[in-house]
Coordinates of all heavy atoms in Angstrom, one line a residue:
M86 N 110.4 100.0 94.9 CA 110.8 98.9 95.7 C 109.9 97.7 95.6 O 108.7 97.9 95.7 CB 110.9 99.4 97.3 CG 110.9 98.3 98.2 SD 112.7 97.7 98.4 CE 113.4 99.0 99.3
C87 N 110.4 96.6 95.3 CA 109.6 95.4 95.2 C 109.8 94.5 96.3 O 111.0 94.1 96.7 CB 110.1 94.6 93.9 SG 109.8 95.6 92.4
L88 N 108.7 94.1 97.0 CA 108.9 93.3 98.2 C 108.4 91.9 97.8 O 107.3 91.7 97.3 CB 107.9 93.8 99.3 CG 108.3 95.2 99.8 CD1 107.3 95.7 100.9 CD2 109.7 95.2 100.5
V89 N 109.2 90.9 98.0 CA 108.9 89.5 97.7 C 108.5 88.8 99.0 O 109.4 88.8 99.9 CB 110.1 88.8 97.0 CG1 109.7 87.3 96.8 CG2 110.4 89.5 95.7
S90 N 107.3 88.3 99.1 CA 106.9 87.7 100.4 C 107.8 86.5 100.7 O 108.1 85.7 99.7 CB 105.5 87.3 100.3 OG 105.0 86.9 101.5
V91 N 108.1 86.1 101.9 CA 109.0 85.0 102.2 C 108.3 83.7 101.9 O 109.0 82.7 101.9 CB 109.6 85.2 103.7 CG1 110.4 86.4 103.8 CG2 108.4 85.1 104.6
D92 N 107.0 83.7 101.9 CA 106.3 82.3 101.7 C 105.9 82.2 100.3 O 105.0 81.3 100.1 CB 105.1 82.4 102.7 CG 104.1 83.4 102.4 OD1 104.5 84.5 101.8 OD2 102.9 83.2 102.7
T93 N 106.5 82.8 99.4 CA 106.1 82.7 98.0 C 107.3 82.2 97.2 O 108.4 82.2 97.7 CB 105.5 84.0 97.4 OG1 106.5 85.0 97.4 CG2 104.2 84.4 98.0
P94 N 107.1 81.8 95.9 CA 108.3 81.4 95.1 C 109.2 82.6 95.0 O 108.8 83.8 95.0 CB 107.7 81.1 93.8 CG 106.3 80.7 94.0 CD 105.9 81.6 95.2
D95 N 110.6 82.3 94.9 CA 111.6 83.4 94.8 C 111.7 84.0 93.5 O 112.2 83.5 92.5 CB 112.9 82.8 95.3 CG 114.0 83.8 95.3 OD1 113.7 84.9 95.3 OD2 115.2 83.3 95.4
T96 N 111.2 85.3 93.4 CA 111.2 85.9 92.1 C 112.1 87.2 92.2 O 112.2 88.0 91.4 CB 109.9 86.5 91.8 OG1 109.3 87.3 92.9 CG2 108.9 85.4 91.5
L97 N 112.9 87.2 93.3 CA 113.8 88.4 93.5 C 115.0 88.4 92.4 O 115.2 89.6 92.0 CB 114.5 88.3 94.9 CG 115.0 89.6 95.4 CD1 114.0 90.8 95.4 CD2 115.6 89.4 96.9
P98 N 115.5 87.3 92.0 CA 116.5 87.4 90.9 C 116.0 88.0 89.6 O 116.6 88.8 89.0 CB 116.9 85.9 90.7 CG 116.7 85.3 91.9 CD 115.4 85.9 92.6
I99 N 114.7 87.7 89.3 CA 114.1 88.3 88.1 C 113.9 89.8 88.3 O 114.1 90.6 87.4 CB 112.7 87.7 87.9 CG1 112.9 86.2 87.6 CG2 112.0 88.4 86.8 CD1 111.6 85.4 87.6
I100 N 113.6 90.3 89.5 CA 113.5 91.7 89.8 C 114.8 92.4 89.6 O 114.9 93.4 89.0 CB 112.9 91.9 91.2 CG1 111.5 91.4 91.3 CG2 112.9 93.4 91.7 CD1 110.9 91.3 92.7
Y101 N 115.8 91.8 90.1 CA 117.2 92.4 89.9 C 117.6 92.4 88.5 O 118.3 93.4 88.1 CB 118.2 91.6 90.7 CG 118.1 91.8 92.2 CD1 118.5 90.7 93.1 CD2 117.6 92.9 92.8 CE1 118.3 90.9 94.5 CE2 117.5 93.1 94.2 CZ 117.9 92.1 95.0 OH 117.8 92.3 96.4
E102 N 117.4 91.3 87.8 CA 117.7 91.3 86.3 C 117.1 92.5 85.5 O 117.5 92.9 84.6 CB 117.2 90.0 85.7 CG 118.1 88.8 86.0 CD 117.5 87.6 85.5 OE1 116.6 87.5 84.7 OE2 118.2 86.4 85.9
R103 N 115.9 92.9 85.9 CA 115.2 94.0 85.3 C 115.7 95.4 85.8 O 115.1 96.4 85.4 CB 113.7 93.8 85.5 CG 113.1 92.6 84.9 CD 111.7 92.5 85.0 NE 111.3 91.3 84.3 CZ 110.1 90.8 84.3 NH1 109.1 91.5 84.9 NH2 109.8 89.8 83.6
G104 N 116.6 95.4 86.7 CA 117.2 96.7 87.2 C 116.4 97.3 88.3 O 116.6 98.5 88.5
L105 N 115.5 96.5 88.9 CA 114.7 97.1 90.0 C 115.3 96.8 91.3 O 116.1 95.9 91.5 CB 113.3 96.6 89.8 CG 112.6 96.9 88.5 CD1 111.3 96.2 88.5 CD2 112.4 98.4 88.4
F106 N 114.9 97.5 92.3 CA 115.3 97.1 93.7 C 114.2 96.2 94.4 O 113.0 96.3 94.1 CB 115.4 98.4 94.6 CG 116.5 99.3 94.1 CD1 116.2 100.5 93.4 CD2 117.8 99.1 94.4 CE1 117.1 101.4 92.9 CE2 118.7 99.9 93.9 CZ 118.4 101.0 93.2
G107 N 114.6 95.3 95.2 CA 113.7 94.5 95.9 C 114.4 93.8 97.1 O 115.6 94.0 97.3
M108 N 113.5 93.3 97.9 CA 113.9 92.6 99.1 C 112.9 91.6 99.5 O 111.8 91.6 99.2 CB 114.2 93.6 100.2 CG 113.0 94.4 100.7 SD 113.4 95.5 102.0 CE 113.2 94.6 103.4
Y109 N 113.3 90.6 100.4 CA 112.3 89.7 101.0 C 111.7 90.3 102.1 O 112.3 91.2 102.8 CB 113.2 88.4 101.5 CG 113.8 87.6 100.4 CD1 115.2 87.7 100.3 CD2 113.1 86.9 99.5 CE1 115.8 87.0 99.2 CE2 113.7 86.2 98.4 CZ 115.1 86.3 98.4 OH 115.7 85.6 97.3
Y110 N 110.4 90.0 102.4 CA 109.7 90.6 103.4 C 108.6 89.7 103.9 O 107.9 89.0 103.2 CB 109.0 91.8 102.9 CG 108.2 92.6 103.9 CD1 108.8 93.2 105.0 CD2 106.8 92.7 103.8 CE1 108.1 93.8 106.0 CE2 106.1 93.4 104.8 CZ 106.8 94.0 105.8 OH 106.0 94.6 106.8
D111 N 108.5 89.6 105.3 CA 107.5 88.9 106.0 C 106.4 89.9 106.5 O 106.6 90.8 107.3 CB 108.1 88.2 107.2 CG 107.1 87.3 107.9 OD1 105.9 87.2 107.4 OD2 107.4 86.7 109.0
W112 N 105.3 89.8 105.8 CA 104.2 90.8 106.0 C 103.5 90.7 107.4 O 102.9 91.6 107.8 CB 103.0 90.6 105.0 CG 103.4 91.2 103.6 CD1 103.9 90.6 102.6 CD2 103.3 92.6 103.3 NE1 104.1 91.5 101.6 CE2 103.7 92.7 102.1 CE3 102.8 93.7 104.0 CZ2 103.8 94.0 101.3 CZ3 102.9 95.0 103.3 CH2 103.2 95.1 102.0
C113 N 103.9 89.6 108.1 CA 103.3 89.4 109.4 C 104.1 90.3 110.5 O 103.8 90.3 111.6 CB 103.3 88.0 109.9 SG 102.1 87.1 108.9
K114 N 105.3 90.9 110.1 CA 106.1 91.7 110.9 C 106.1 93.1 110.4 O 105.8 93.4 109.3 CB 107.5 91.1 110.9 CG 107.6 89.7 111.5 CD 109.1 89.3 111.4 CE 109.1 87.8 112.0 NZ 110.5 87.2 111.8
S115 N 106.3 94.0 111.3 CA 106.3 95.4 110.8 C 107.5 95.8 109.9 O 108.5 95.1 109.9 CB 106.3 96.4 112.1 OG 107.7 96.3 112.7
F116 N 107.3 96.9 109.1 CA 108.3 97.2 108.1 C 108.6 98.7 108.2 O 107.8 99.5 108.1 CB 107.6 97.0 106.6 CG 108.5 97.3 105.5 CD1 109.6 96.6 105.3 CD2 108.1 98.3 104.6 CE1 110.5 96.9 104.2 CE2 108.9 98.5 103.5 CZ 110.1 97.8 103.3
S117 N 109.8 98.9 108.6 CA 110.3 100.3 108.8 C 110.6 101.0 107.5 O 111.5 100.6 106.8 CB 111.5 100.2 109.6 OG 112.0 101.6 109.8
T118 N 109.7 101.9 107.1 CA 109.9 102.7 105.9 C 110.5 104.1 106.2 O 110.7 104.8 105.3 CB 108.6 102.9 105.2 OG1 107.7 103.5 106.0 CG2 108.0 101.5 104.7
Y119 N 110.7 104.4 107.4 CA 111.2 105.7 107.8 C 112.5 106.0 107.2 O 113.4 105.1 107.2 CB 111.3 105.9 109.3 CG 111.8 107.2 109.7 CD1 110.9 108.3 109.7 CD2 113.1 107.5 110.0 CE1 111.4 109.5 110.2 CE2 113.7 108.7 110.3 CZ 112.7 109.7 110.4 OH 113.1 111.0 110.7
P120 N 112.8 107.1 106.5 CA 111.9 108.3 106.3 C 111.1 108.2 105.0 O 110.6 109.3 104.5 CB 112.9 109.4 106.3 CG 114.1 108.8 105.5 CD 114.2 107.3 106.0
R121 N 110.9 107.1 104.4 CA 110.2 107.0 103.1 C 108.8 106.5 103.3 O 108.5 105.7 104.2 CB 111.0 106.0 102.2 CG 112.4 106.4 101.8 CD 113.0 105.3 100.9 NE 114.2 104.9 101.3 CZ 114.7 104.4 102.4 NH1 114.0 104.5 103.5 NH2 116.0 103.9 102.6
S122 N 108.0 106.9 102.3 CA 106.7 106.3 102.3 C 106.5 106.1 100.7 O 107.3 106.7 99.9 CB 105.7 107.1 102.8 OG 105.5 108.4 102.3
Y123 N 105.4 105.4 100.3 CA 105.3 105.1 98.9 C 104.0 105.6 98.4 O 103.0 105.7 99.0 CB 105.4 103.5 98.7 CG 106.9 103.1 99.2 CD1 107.1 102.7 100.5 CD2 107.9 103.2 98.3 CE1 108.3 102.3 100.9 CE2 109.1 102.8 98.7 CZ 109.3 102.3 100.0 OH 110.7 102.0 100.4
D124 N 103.9 105.8 97.0 CA 102.7 106.3 96.3 C 101.9 105.2 95.8 O 100.7 105.4 95.5 CB 103.2 107.2 95.2 CG 103.8 108.5 95.7 OD1 103.2 109.1 96.7 OD2 104.7 109.0 95.1
F125 N 102.4 104.0 95.6 CA 101.8 102.9 94.9 C 102.1 101.6 95.5 O 103.3 101.3 95.8 CB 102.2 103.1 93.5 CG 101.6 101.9 92.6 CD1 100.3 102.1 92.1 CD2 102.3 100.8 92.2 CE1 99.7 101.0 91.3 CE2 101.8 99.9 91.4 CZ 100.5 100.0 91.0
L126 N 101.1 100.8 95.7 CA 101.3 99.5 96.3 C 100.5 98.4 95.5 O 99.2 98.8 95.4 CB 101.1 99.4 97.7 CG 101.3 98.1 98.4 CD1 102.8 97.6 98.3 CD2 100.9 98.2 99.9
H127 N 100.9 97.5 94.9 CA 100.1 96.4 94.2 C 100.3 95.2 94.8 O 101.5 94.7 95.0 CB 100.6 96.4 92.7 CG 99.9 95.3 92.0 ND1 100.5 94.1 91.6 CD2 98.6 95.3 91.4 CE1 99.7 93.4 90.9 NE2 98.5 94.1 90.8
V128 N 99.3 94.5 95.3 CA 99.4 93.2 96.0 C 98.5 92.1 95.2 O 97.4 92.5 94.8 CB 98.9 93.2 97.5 CG1 99.9 94.1 98.2 CG2 97.6 93.8 97.6
D129 N 99.1 90.9 95.0 CA 98.4 89.9 94.2 C 98.2 88.7 95.1 O 99.2 88.0 95.5 CB 99.5 89.6 93.0 CG 98.8 88.6 92.0 OD1 97.5 88.7 92.0 OD2 99.5 87.9 91.3
Y130 N 97.0 88.5 95.6 CA 96.6 87.4 96.4 C 97.4 87.5 97.8 O 97.5 86.3 98.4 CB 96.7 86.1 95.7 CG 95.6 86.0 94.6 CD1 95.9 86.4 93.3 CD2 94.3 85.6 94.9 CE1 94.9 86.3 92.3 CE2 93.4 85.6 93.9 CZ 93.7 85.9 92.6 OH 92.8 85.8 91.7
L131 N 97.8 88.5 98.2 CA 98.6 88.6 99.4 C 97.7 88.3 100.6 O 98.0 87.7 101.5 CB 99.3 90.0 99.5 CG 99.9 90.3 100.9 CD1 101.2 89.5 101.0 CD2 100.2 91.7 101.0
F132 N 96.4 89.0 100.6 CA 95.6 88.9 101.8 C 95.1 87.5 102.0 O 94.8 87.0 103.0 CB 94.5 89.9 101.7 CG 95.0 91.3 101.7 CD1 95.1 92.1 100.6 CD2 95.4 91.8 102.9 CE1 95.6 93.4 100.8 CE2 95.9 93.1 103.1 CZ 96.0 94.0 101.9
S133 N 94.9 86.8 100.8 CA 94.4 85.4 100.9 C 95.4 84.5 101.7 O 95.0 83.6 102.5 CB 94.1 84.8 99.6 OG 92.9 85.4 99.0
R134 N 96.6 84.7 101.3 CA 97.7 83.9 102.0 C 97.9 84.3 103.4 O 98.0 83.5 104.3 CB 99.0 84.1 101.2 CG 99.1 83.4 99.9 CD 100.4 83.4 99.4 NE 101.1 84.6 99.3 CZ 101.0 85.6 98.2 NH1 100.3 85.2 97.2 NH2 101.6 86.7 98.3
L135 N 97.8 85.6 103.7 CA 98.1 86.2 105.1 C 97.0 85.9 106.0 O 97.2 85.9 107.2 CB 98.4 87.6 105.0 CG 99.7 88.0 104.3 CD1 99.9 89.6 104.3 CD2 100.8 87.3 104.9
K136 N 95.8 85.7 105.4 CA 94.6 85.6 106.4 C 94.9 84.3 107.2 O 94.3 84.1 108.3 CB 93.4 85.4 105.5 CG 92.1 85.7 106.2 CD 91.0 85.7 105.2 CE 89.8 86.2 105.9 NZ 88.6 86.2 104.9
K137 N 95.6 83.3 106.7 CA 95.8 82.0 107.3 C 97.0 82.1 108.3 O 97.1 81.3 109.2 CB 96.1 80.9 106.4 CG 95.0 80.7 105.4 CD 95.5 79.8 104.2 CE 94.5 79.8 103.1 NZ 95.0 79.1 101.9
M138 N 97.9 83.1 108.1 CA 99.2 83.2 108.8 C 99.2 84.2 110.0 O 99.8 84.0 111.0 CB 100.4 83.5 107.9 CG 100.6 82.4 106.8 SD 101.8 82.7 105.6 CE 102.7 84.1 106.2
C139 N 98.6 85.3 109.8 CA 98.6 86.4 110.8 C 97.3 87.2 110.8 O 96.5 87.0 110.0 CB 99.9 87.3 110.5 SG 100.0 88.0 108.9
N140 N 97.3 88.2 111.7 CA 96.2 89.1 111.8 C 95.9 90.0 110.7 O 96.8 90.8 110.3 CB 96.3 89.9 113.1 CG 95.1 90.6 113.5 OD1 94.1 90.7 112.7 ND2 95.0 91.0 114.7
F141 N 94.9 89.8 109.9 CA 94.5 90.6 108.8 C 94.4 92.1 109.0 O 95.0 92.8 108.2 CB 93.2 90.1 108.3 CG 92.7 90.4 106.9 CD1 93.4 90.0 105.8 CD2 91.6 91.3 106.8 CE1 93.0 90.3 104.5 CE2 91.2 91.6 105.4 CZ 91.9 91.1 104.3
K142 N 93.9 92.5 110.1 CA 93.8 94.0 110.4 C 95.2 94.6 110.6 O 95.4 95.7 110.2 CB 92.9 94.1 111.6 CG 91.5 93.8 111.4 CD 90.7 93.9 112.7 CE 89.3 93.4 112.5 NZ 88.5 93.5 113.6
V143 N 96.1 93.9 111.2 CA 97.5 94.4 111.4 C 98.1 94.6 110.1 O 98.8 95.7 109.9 CB 98.3 93.4 112.3 CG1 99.7 93.8 112.4 CG2 97.6 93.2 113.7
V144 N 97.9 93.8 109.1 CA 98.5 94.0 107.8 C 98.0 95.2 107.2 O 98.7 95.9 106.5 CB 98.4 92.7 106.9 CG1 98.9 92.9 105.5 CG2 99.1 91.5 107.6
V145 N 96.6 95.4 107.2 CA 96.0 96.6 106.6 C 96.5 97.9 107.3 O 96.8 98.8 106.6 CB 94.4 96.5 106.8 CG1 93.8 97.8 106.3 CG2 93.9 95.3 106.0
I146 N 96.8 97.9 108.5 CA 97.3 99.0 109.2 C 98.8 99.3 108.7 O 99.1 100.4 108.5 CB 97.2 98.9 110.8 CG1 95.7 98.9 111.2 CG2 98.0 99.9 111.5 CD1 95.6 98.5 112.6
E147 N 99.5 98.2 108.6 CA 100.9 98.3 108.1 C 100.9 98.9 106.7 O 101.7 99.8 106.4 CB 101.6 96.9 108.1 CG 103.0 96.9 107.8 CD 103.8 97.5 108.8 OE1 103.5 97.5 110.0 OE2 104.9 98.0 108.4
I148 N 100.1 98.5 105.9 CA 100.0 99.0 104.5 C 99.5 100.6 104.6 O 100.1 101.3 103.8 CB 98.9 98.2 103.6 CG1 99.6 96.9 103.3 CG2 98.5 99.0 102.4 CD1 98.7 95.9 102.6
D149 N 98.7 100.9 105.5 CA 98.2 102.2 105.6 C 99.5 103.2 106.0 O 99.6 104.3 105.6 CB 97.1 102.4 106.7 CG 96.6 103.8 106.8 OD1 96.3 104.5 105.8 OD2 96.6 104.3 108.0
Q150 N 100.3 102.6 106.8 CA 101.5 103.3 107.3 C 102.5 103.5 106.2 O 103.3 104.4 106.1 CB 102.1 102.7 108.5 CG 101.3 102.8 109.7 CD 101.8 102.0 110.9 OE1 102.8 101.3 110.8 NE2 101.2 102.2 112.0
I151 N 102.6 102.4 105.3 CA 103.6 102.5 104.2 C 103.2 103.4 103.1 O 104.1 104.1 102.5 CB 103.7 101.0 103.6 CG1 104.4 100.1 104.5 CG2 104.5 101.1 102.3 CD1 104.4 98.6 104.1
L152 N 101.9 103.6 102.9 CA 101.5 104.5 101.8 C 101.2 105.9 102.2 O 100.9 106.2 103.4 CB 100.1 103.9 101.2 CG 100.1 102.7 100.5 CD1 98.7 102.2 100.2 CD2 100.9 102.7 99.3
R153 N 101.6 106.9 101.3 CA 101.3 108.3 101.6 C 99.8 108.5 101.5 O 99.1 107.9 100.9 CB 102.0 109.1 100.5 CG 103.5 109.1 100.6 CD 104.1 110.1 99.6 NE 105.5 110.0 99.8 CZ 106.4 109.6 98.8 NH1 105.9 109.3 97.5 NH2 107.7 109.6 98.9
P154 N 99.4 109.7 102.0 CA 97.9 110.1 101.8 C 97.7 110.3 100.3 O 98.6 110.8 99.5 CB 97.9 111.4 102.5 CG 98.9 111.3 103.6 CD 100.1 110.6 102.9
E155 N 96.6 110.0 99.8 CA 96.1 110.1 98.5 C 96.9 109.1 97.5 O 97.1 109.4 96.3 CB 96.3 111.6 97.9 CG 95.6 112.6 98.8 CD 94.0 112.3 98.8 OE1 93.4 111.9 97.8 OE2 93.5 112.5 99.8
S156 N 97.6 108.1 98.0 CA 98.3 107.2 97.1 C 97.3 106.0 96.7 O 96.2 106.0 97.1 CB 99.5 106.6 97.9 OG 99.1 106.1 99.1
T157 N 97.8 105.1 95.9 CA 97.0 104.1 95.3 C 97.4 102.7 95.8 O 98.6 102.3 96.0 CB 97.3 104.1 93.8 OG1 96.9 105.4 93.3 CG2 96.4 103.1 93.1
L158 N 96.3 101.9 96.1 CA 96.5 100.5 96.4 C 95.8 99.7 95.6 O 94.5 99.9 95.4 CB 96.0 100.2 98.0 CG 96.0 98.8 98.4 CD1 97.3 98.2 98.5 CD2 95.2 98.7 99.7
I159 N 96.4 98.8 94.8 CA 95.8 97.8 93.9 C 95.8 96.5 94.5 O 96.8 96.0 94.8 CB 96.4 97.9 92.5 CG1 96.2 99.3 91.9 CG2 95.7 96.8 91.6 CD1 97.0 99.5 90.5
V160 N 94.6 95.9 94.6 CA 94.5 94.6 95.2 C 93.9 93.5 94.2 O 92.8 93.8 93.7 CB 93.6 94.6 96.5 CG1 93.5 93.2 97.1 CG2 94.2 95.6 97.5
R161 N 94.6 92.5 94.0 CA 94.0 91.4 93.2 C 93.8 90.2 94.1 O 94.8 89.7 94.6 CB 94.9 91.0 92.1 CG 94.4 90.1 91.1 CD 95.3 89.6 90.0 NE 96.1 90.7 89.5 CZ 97.1 90.5 88.6 NH1 97.4 89.3 88.2 NH2 97.8 91.6 88.2
D162 N 92.6 89.8 94.4 CA 92.3 88.7 95.2 C 91.0 88.2 95.0 O 90.2 88.5 94.1 CB 92.5 89.3 96.7 CG 93.1 88.2 97.7 OD1 92.7 87.1 97.6 OD2 94.0 88.6 98.4
T163 N 90.5 87.3 96.0 CA 89.1 86.7 95.8 C 88.1 87.9 96.2 O 88.5 88.8 96.9 CB 88.9 85.5 96.7 OG1 89.1 86.0 98.1 CG2 89.9 84.5 96.4
A164 N 86.9 87.7 95.7 CA 85.8 88.7 95.9 C 85.5 88.8 97.5 O 85.3 89.9 98.1 CB 84.6 88.3 95.3
E165 N 85.6 87.6 98.2 CA 85.4 87.7 99.7 C 86.4 88.5 100.4 O 86.1 89.3 101.2 CB 85.3 86.3 100.1 CG 85.3 86.1 101.7 CD 85.5 84.7 102.1 OE1 85.3 83.7 101.4 OE2 86.1 84.5 103.3
V166 N 87.7 88.3 100.0 CA 88.7 89.1 100.7 C 88.6 90.5 100.4 O 88.8 91.4 101.2 CB 90.1 88.5 100.3 CG1 91.2 89.3 100.8 CG2 90.3 87.1 100.9
I167 N 88.3 90.9 99.1 CA 88.2 92.3 98.7 C 87.1 92.9 99.4 O 87.2 94.1 99.8 CB 88.1 92.4 97.1 CG1 89.5 92.0 96.5 CG2 87.7 93.7 96.7 CD1 89.5 91.9 95.0
N168 N 86.0 92.3 99.6 CA 84.8 92.9 100.3 C 85.2 93.2 101.8 O 84.8 94.2 102.3 CB 83.6 92.0 100.2 CG 83.0 92.0 98.8 OD1 83.2 92.9 98.1 ND2 82.3 90.9 98.5
E169 N 85.9 92.3 102.4 CA 86.3 92.4 103.7 C 87.3 93.6 103.8 O 87.3 94.4 104.7 CB 86.9 91.2 104.3 CG 87.3 91.2 105.8 CD 87.8 89.8 106.2 OE1 87.7 88.8 105.5 OE2 88.4 89.8 107.3
L170 N 88.3 93.6 102.9 CA 89.3 94.6 102.9 C 88.6 96.0 102.7 O 89.0 97.0 103.3 CB 90.4 94.3 101.8 CG 91.4 95.3 101.6 CD1 92.3 95.4 102.8 CD2 92.2 95.0 100.4
E171 N 87.7 96.0 101.7 CA 87.0 97.3 101.4 C 86.3 98.0 102.6 O 86.4 99.2 102.8 CB 86.0 97.1 100.3 CG 85.3 98.4 99.9 CD 84.4 98.1 98.7 OE1 83.9 96.9 98.5 OE2 84.0 99.1 98.0
S172 N 85.6 97.1 103.4 CA 85.1 97.6 104.6 C 86.0 98.1 105.7 O 85.7 99.2 106.3 CB 84.1 96.6 105.3 OG 84.8 95.5 105.7
M173 N 87.1 97.5 105.8 CA 88.2 98.0 106.7 C 88.9 99.3 106.2 O 89.0 100.2 107.0 CB 89.3 97.0 106.8 CG 89.1 95.9 107.7 SD 90.6 94.9 108.0 CE 89.9 93.3 107.6
V174 N 89.1 99.4 105.0 CA 89.7 100.6 104.4 C 88.8 101.8 104.5 O 89.2 102.9 104.8 CB 90.2 100.3 103.0 CG1 90.7 101.6 102.3 CG2 91.4 99.3 103.0
K175 N 87.6 101.5 104.2 CA 86.5 102.7 104.2 C 86.4 103.2 105.7 O 86.2 104.4 105.9 CB 85.1 102.2 103.7 CG 85.1 102.2 102.2 CD 83.7 101.8 101.8 CE 83.6 101.8 100.3 NZ 82.3 101.4 99.7
S176 N 86.5 102.3 106.7 CA 86.5 102.8 108.1 C 87.6 103.6 108.5 O 87.6 104.3 109.4 CB 86.2 101.6 109.0 OG 87.4 100.7 109.1
M177 N 88.8 103.3 107.8 CA 90.0 104.1 108.0 C 90.1 105.3 107.4 O 91.0 106.1 107.6 CB 91.3 103.1 107.7 CG 91.4 101.9 108.6 SD 92.6 100.8 108.0 CE 94.0 101.8 108.0
N178 N 89.2 105.5 106.4 CA 89.3 106.7 105.4 C 90.4 106.6 104.5 O 91.2 107.5 104.2 CB 89.2 108.0 106.1 CG 87.8 108.3 106.7 OD1 86.9 107.8 106.2 ND2 87.7 109.0 107.8

């Protein structure tokens, strides 16, 4: 499942052309994944954008609920944001 943030350029048509599933998503709101959870999440400068728009900790908790235990989160962002995120994730185990 590919989630395209509502505040970024529209890349959903490209996702559909490649035969993948996708949808628009506002990370500042909760995302119902029941009964599914995911093994892999890759975010590209998501936290830098969201830091200005909504509560950073709420987004981290939302990601924790989306991912299965022992799954992978890949974050591409600034060093400052990654350091802050790393301390939050370590405290959550």
Side-chain angles (χ1 to χ4, degrees):
M86 168 77 74
C87 298
L88 299 175
V89 176
S90 188
V91 295
D92 63 332
T93 59
D95 184 13
T96 56
L97 200 55
I99 297 168
I100 292 167
Y101 289 150
E102 286 176 6
R103 294 181 179 176
L105 302 170
F106 295 105
M108 63 183 271
Y109 298 107
Y110 181 62
D111 183 1
W112 282 96
C113 294
K114 298 179 181 176
S115 65
F116 182 61
S117 175
T118 58
Y119 181 80
R121 295 177 233 48
S122 58
Y123 299 94
D124 291 322
F125 178 77
L126 183 62
H127 176 256
V128 293
D129 188 27
Y130 292 93
L131 174 72
F132 294 104
S133 292
R134 287 191 308 271
L135 293 180
K136 203 170 188 182
K137 302 170 191 167
M138 296 173 19
C139 54
N140 189 345
F141 192 68
K142 292 177 185 177
V143 172
V144 176
V145 173
I146 292 169
E147 185 71 24
I148 288 174
D149 183 52
Q150 292 174 351
I151 290 172
L152 292 173
R153 291 184 182 121
E155 305 299 323
S156 54
T157 303
L158 171 65
I159 296 177
V160 179
R161 187 183 320 172
D162 217 313
T163 63
E165 175 189 330
V166 170
I167 290 176
N168 289 336
E169 186 178 346
L170 179 65
E171 184 179 20
S172 66
M173 277 190 234
V174 171
K175 283 183 179 178
S176 69
M177 294 170 58
N178 287 330

